[in-house]
Amino acid sequence: MSIQNMSKSAVRVGKNYIKGYTDTQVKVRDATSNDPWGPSGTQMNELAQLSYNQNDFIEMMEIMDKRLNDKGKNWRHVFKTLTVLDYLLHAGSENVVIYFRDNMYVVKTLREFQYIDEGGKDQGANVRQKAKDITNLLQDDSRLRDERRGRTNMRDRMSGTSAP
Amino acid sequence: LPTRPVDRDKAERALSENIKKATNAEEIAPKQKHVRNCIIYTWDYHSSQSIWTGLRVQPILNDEVQTFKALILVHKILQEGHPIVLREAQAQMGWFETCARTVGADSMRGYAPLIRAAVQYILQKLRFHRHHKEFNGMFEYEEYISLKNIDNPDEGYETIMDLMNLQDGIEQKQKLVFAHFRGAANNECRISSLVPLVKESYGIYKFLTSMLRAMHRRTDALDALEPLRGRYNTQHFALRRFYYECSNLKFLTTLINVPKLNHDPPNLFDSPDD
């Protein structure tokens, strides 16, 4: 971890404290931070489990909504939140599906997200592609059902809870 | 009303700020983040009234670039905003006509013909939506079918003709935009007006393809469909050229992915579902 990243995470810890974010919200903020690595499988899995609790769910949506509407410079916030959202749509509670169907336009309008960094690299392209994929998934009910079912089966098999 | 965590007062203030920034006098593309916030506002509050008011209180009509940017903004909100925007826009005909009339002879930067063409197309679009309320602003087939609840294309002949007229309207407008590029000058603002045209023309194209295919599946009178097939093919080639020209505009391809059509029009006798 570079000094720069270290100080950034230190700032995040401070902000979490000052703004009074809950433990769940801190988890979402960590998973969708500006650090140049993706949210880990463990982080996403934990968030998926938390989404089954109504309180945690609401707290999570609050932060995810903020992150999705962040500005271009923070494209990583947006991109990683979409990554987490994709995971939650597959493995999280049904409420996530309902919430993002209701508010589909938040994701849909990200299909034109723009950000070109100082090096002239089009960082918006990642966001645009992910927003497109998730919009398609949200609009295809039967595919979403299938993928959610497949995910549950796999998890059950791996944890050995289902009959062989 | 919205299930998102929002604050109405804050949203209203932010909205007028977003309108102002999206339509400022800088000769560049309206920033997508400001356009997006306006679109999201209409979904959050199921209303566009504050947008029309906002456009009126800004000194937009004094400046041709601002007027042009306002029309790009409006086009995008009509496309992607809540369906109520299409209905509420019907009451704004006067404002659109004022836009077209106000740009006068002193159009130093050459936007006057583009503004008039933009207004003309938007009015055509609004007339279409007035008669065909089941279409959303981007002509998405799935939503149309789910709204109609049945896959009944038989009533579609006239609808198809109307859609094709709209497609011709886009063709005319895009040609005019290309004809008004300025050699060395910065064309960013003009190019950005092509973005909603690319998206809308593709929506119409896909819609027409699905609908025509469905009609071919259902009817025995294939000869009766010949005029539609002919016109569809003509439009296919025009669109293909339009997208090809767009794909060469580097600035445009950083804004959206331009669709690429096959050389030949799709076979309407084929069923794509298998």
Side-chain angles (χ1 to χ4, degrees):
Chain A
M1 192 188 268
S2 69
I3 298 287
Q4 197 198 6
N5 284 326
M6 224 150 74
S7 63
K8 265 194 191 158
S9 1
V11 170
R12 195 160 65 237
V13 172
K15 257 195 182 169
N16 287 339
Y17 180 72
I18 293 164
K19 298 219 169 171
Y21 291 120
T22 66
D23 287 352
T24 302
Q25 291 181 325
V26 170
K27 283 181 179 133
V28 180
R29 280 169 56 78
D30 283 342
T32 60
S33 70
N34 260 330
D35 300 330
W37 51 84
S40 73
T42 323
Q43 279 174 315
M44 292 200 287
N45 189 41
E46 191 179 1
L47 291 174
Q49 296 318 309
L50 284 169
S51 73
Y52 285 89
N53 176 299
Q54 187 60 20
N55 268 337
D56 291 317
F57 169 76
I58 292 169
E59 292 175 8
M60 285 167 71
M61 291 305 115
E62 219 171 283
I63 301 298
M64 286 178 70
D65 190 80
K66 275 206 186 108
R67 292 292 212 207
L68 287 176
N69 294 304
D70 219 324
K71 54 185 168 214
K73 196 163 80 72
N74 288 331
W75 63 272
R76 278 202 182 86
H77 284 174
V78 185
F79 181 71
K80 288 200 213 170
T81 306
L82 289 173
T83 308
V84 170
L85 171 58
D86 193 19
Y87 190 96
L88 294 182
L89 287 174
H90 285 89
S93 100
E94 185 74 22
N95 281 339
V96 180
V97 178
I98 295 168
Y99 180 93
F100 277 96
R101 279 243 172 83
D102 268 3
N103 298 294
M104 195 179 323
Y105 50 94
V106 173
V107 177
K108 222 173 167 181
T109 44
L110 289 173
R111 293 178 305 179
E112 269 183 65
F113 184 89
Q114 280 157 38
Y115 185 66
I116 307 213
D117 70 14
E118 312 79 44
K121 191 168 184 317
D122 181 6
Q123 301 289 11
N126 299 318
V127 173
R128 293 198 292 274
Q129 187 55 49
K130 197 137 214 120
K132 214 171 285 172
D133 295 344
I134 294 178
T135 303
N136 290 342
L137 182 64
L138 281 169
Q139 283 174 332
D140 189 342
D141 192 52
S142 61
R143 193 182 122 213
L144 185 56
R145 295 287 139 233
D146 282 354
E147 294 195 7
R148 283 176 66 78
R149 209 172 304 123
R151 178 70 68 127
T152 318
N153 288 343
M154 191 165 70
R155 201 180 45 229
D156 290 350
R157 270 205 313 279
M158 304 220 326
S159 60
T161 47
S162 73
Chain B
L1 198 65
T3 53
R4 297 173 56 224
V6 289
D7 170 340
R8 179 89 194 226
D9 288 342
K10 229 167 122 186
E12 294 288 345
R13 278 197 304 277
L15 180 71
S16 67
E17 199 55 29
N18 279 305
I19 293 172
K20 192 168 149 190
K21 286 181 173 164
T23 61
N24 66 15
E26 244 187 297
E27 197 178 353
I28 54 168
K31 288 255 169 62
Q32 174 62 14
K33 62 179 164 187
H34 302 129
V35 177
R36 176 172 181 266
N37 287 335
C38 295
I39 293 171
I40 288 186
Y41 174 92
T42 68
W43 286 97
D44 280 344
Y45 299 105
H46 296 194
S47 167
S48 62
Q49 298 303 356
S50 298
I51 292 177
W52 305 111
T53 313
L55 287 168
R56 282 195 170 79
V57 299
Q58 300 294 331
I60 287 167
L61 299 180
N62 300 336
D63 182 287
E64 54 184 313
V65 171
Q66 286 185 271
T67 308
F68 191 62
K69 285 169 82 170
L71 291 167
I72 298 173
L73 172 69
V74 165
H75 195 179
K76 291 184 137 189
I77 299 173
L78 290 175
Q79 286 186 329
E80 298 194 65
H82 186 274
I84 198 154
V85 183
L86 287 171
R87 267 177 279 150
E88 292 178 345
Q90 303 291 344
Q92 304 299 326
M93 299 294 183
W95 182 76
F96 287 114
E97 278 156 11
T98 310
C99 286
R101 225 180 310 113
T102 310
V103 283
D106 62 334
S107 172
M108 300 279 288
R109 284 175 289 186
Y111 282 92
L114 298 178
I115 289 170
R116 281 192 288 268
V119 168
Q120 197 189 349
Y121 179 71
I122 288 176
L123 293 180
Q124 190 188 356
K125 178 176 168 68
L126 288 176
R127 275 194 301 274
F128 178 91
H129 287 290
R130 191 164 62 220
H131 294 128
H132 302 279
K133 295 193 167 50
E134 62 281 16
F135 284 85
N136 73 12
M138 203 77 98
F139 304 94
E140 282 160 313
Y141 191 66
E142 292 73 17
E143 291 199 25
Y144 173 83
I145 293 301
S146 66
L147 229 124
K148 286 243 145 183
N149 223 356
I150 37 158
D151 183 359
N152 176 16
D154 297 338
E155 59 179 86
Y157 204 98
E158 211 186 304
T159 306
I160 290 179
M161 294 299 276
D162 289 348
L163 277 170
M164 286 179 162
N165 292 340
L166 210 52
Q167 191 76 302
D168 285 347
I170 294 178
E171 170 76 2
Q172 275 171 20
K173 192 184 160 201
Q174 64 86 359
K175 275 192 169 147
L176 195 78
V177 174
F178 273 96
H180 280 78
F181 282 168
R182 296 204 155 174
N186 178 8
N187 286 315
E188 199 184 295
C189 186
R190 291 175 181 82
I191 290 175
S192 69
S193 73
L194 294 172
V195 170
L197 295 182
V198 169
K199 292 168 78 171
E200 189 151 322
S201 63
Y202 192 57
I204 294 175
Y205 175 77
K206 283 195 302 188
F207 199 104
L208 284 171
T209 308
S210 307
M211 206 156 174
L212 284 167
R213 274 186 168 139
M215 279 177 96
H216 280 79
R217 268 199 307 274
R218 297 225 169 180
T219 182
D220 300 323
L222 292 173
D223 284 352
L225 299 178
E226 175 53 35
L228 293 184
R229 278 198 297 278
R231 202 168 166 200
Y232 174 82
N233 289 347
T234 309
Q235 292 195 336
H236 170 90
F237 291 115
L239 262 192
R240 192 178 130 83
R241 197 172 51 243
F242 172 36
Y243 296 158
Y244 173 75
E245 281 164 358
C246 285
S247 68
N248 289 320
L249 300 172
K250 192 167 172 280
F251 175 66
L252 187 89
T253 56
T254 64
L255 302 181
I256 47 165
N257 300 330
V258 179
K260 200 169 178 310
L261 302 187
N262 285 331
H263 181 272
D264 293 320
N267 183 354
L268 298 173
F269 297 96
D270 268 356
S271 183
D273 308 321
D274 35 88

